[in-house]
Amino acid sequence: MKVIVTRNYEESCMKVAEIIIEQVKKDPTSKLGLATGGTAQQVYPHLVEAYKQGRVSFSQITTVNLDEYLGIRPDSEQSYRRCMDDWFFDRTDIDKAKTYVPSGLNPPNMEIKTFNEKLYGDKPIDLQLIGVGVNGHIGFNEPAAELIAGVHIEKLTESTIQANARFFASESDVPREAITMGIGDILKAKRIVLIATGENKAKVIGKLLADDTVTTSVPATLLKVHPDVTVVIDEALAAMAGYKGCC
Ligand code: GLP
């Protein structure tokens, strides 16, 4: 696993954006796996800026997002489709017909089929961006004795509901279920880039970087079995997580 330790979160976002830009420049038809969440959010302005400066074009890429809440309208502010449109898709030359964020409104079985077609109908994901939950979830794959490999409906844990309540009017408004790529889907991406920041991620990042075990009770640790993962964290988080590899 490659670890990049930056001076601060802002620098982490710039670094991750540059990795994505490099990928799209190398292959303008890249298939990108994208993520939402508060941490990944600040990566997108750097992509938009690079597009405005004429440094990169996203016109030929295809994208697939990690997850979406069930029961949420795509135009509601908390929907991941709306986030992606507002943060990235509507601000660049991306062909929106080639973007996919799972629908939280379609019948789950139908949407799982569509999700799989988007994931596997053409080529594998070249680069998958991910954040990590406070409890170590990736996508919405919550800690459990067994994880599900493929696309599925996940029941959110109390910890995730509480952590994501800040995006909703109240905790009771947070959807209780989500559709998500499974752990196996995430691990099939050719390259994975994880961004994390903040004290509340220290425990999980410690388990990922300062420990050599893999456990389904911290799903992010499964990333240790993938041959091409880059973790981008700031020095404050590296110190809190007990990561010593940096200096
Ligand atoms: C949500 C998303 C995850 C994301 C996580 C972290 O739960 N489903 O994909 O990694 O949030 O979010 P944040 O960066 O806001 O802590």
Side-chain angles (χ1 to χ4, degrees):
M1 194 149 18
K2 183 173 173 199
V3 183
I4 298 174
V5 180
T6 65
R7 276 172 301 176
N8 51 47
Y9 168 57
E10 172 67 8
E11 200 179 299
S12 293
C13 293
M14 284 193 292
K15 183 70 208 167
V16 171
E18 287 310 318
I19 294 171
I20 296 171
I21 291 164
E22 207 179 285
Q23 169 66 41
V24 175
K25 281 179 145 175
K26 190 178 76 184
D27 176 6
T29 67
S30 290
K31 182 169 178 179
L32 302 181
L34 297 177
T36 49
T39 314
Q41 179 176 1
Q42 295 309 322
V43 170
Y44 296 107
H46 296 288
L47 298 179
V48 172
E49 194 50 36
Y51 159 70
K52 284 190 179 152
Q53 289 168 354
R55 289 179 54 216
V56 64
S57 165
F58 298 105
S59 64
Q60 295 180 73
I61 67 167
T62 51
T63 70
V64 180
N65 262 73
L66 280 169
D67 48 21
E68 178 63 287
Y69 293 110
L70 278 201
I72 203 154
R73 288 169 51 95
D75 58 350
S76 92
E77 268 180 34
Q78 293 84 8
S79 125
Y80 288 163
R81 161 49 78 179
R82 168 86 184 267
C83 290
M84 291 310 304
D85 286 348
D86 289 355
W87 301 346
F88 185 36
F89 300 158
D90 288 341
R91 294 172 187 265
T92 63
D93 60 349
I94 241 168
D95 175 0
K96 275 177 77 174
K98 290 200 210 152
T99 67
Y100 173 73
V101 181
S103 160
L105 283 188
N106 286 339
N109 280 343
M110 179 180 137
E111 197 56 29
I112 287 171
K113 192 165 171 277
T114 309
F115 205 154
N116 275 302
E117 281 162 15
K118 298 291 177 184
L119 278 170
Y120 302 114
D122 49 3
K123 57 177 182 170
I125 289 175
D126 293 297
L127 190 157
Q128 174 68 58
L129 171 64
I130 57 172
V132 62
V134 176
N135 62 3
H137 73 229
I138 50 177
F140 265 129
N141 293 275
E142 298 281 34
E146 290 182 338
L147 301 181
I148 298 172
V151 172
H152 64 282
I153 305 300
E154 182 86 18
K155 198 169 172 318
L156 304 186
T157 60
E158 239 354 271
S159 149
T160 297
I161 292 165
Q162 275 169 26
N164 290 359
R166 68 191 197 279
F167 299 114
F168 292 81
S170 76
E171 196 176 306
S172 59
D173 290 333
V174 183
R176 268 39 188 176
E177 289 181 309
I179 179 166
T180 183
M181 281 188 205
I183 207 83
D185 301 315
I186 295 173
L187 292 174
K188 282 188 189 102
K190 287 194 201 161
R191 181 177 186 190
I192 300 173
V193 179
L194 181 147
I195 180 168
T197 189
E199 199 179 341
N200 61 356
K201 305 285 170 72
K203 211 169 150 208
V204 158
I205 295 299
K207 201 71 191 138
L208 181 63
L209 301 180
D211 173 322
D212 200 27
T213 59
V214 170
T215 170
T216 60
S217 63
V218 183
T221 61
L222 273 287
L223 296 171
K224 293 179 199 181
V225 305
H226 190 283
D228 193 353
V229 176
T230 304
V231 175
V232 183
I233 51 173
D234 46 76
E235 56 191 28
L237 176 54
M240 287 184 288
Y243 175 64
K244 306 243 172 9
C246 64
C247 350

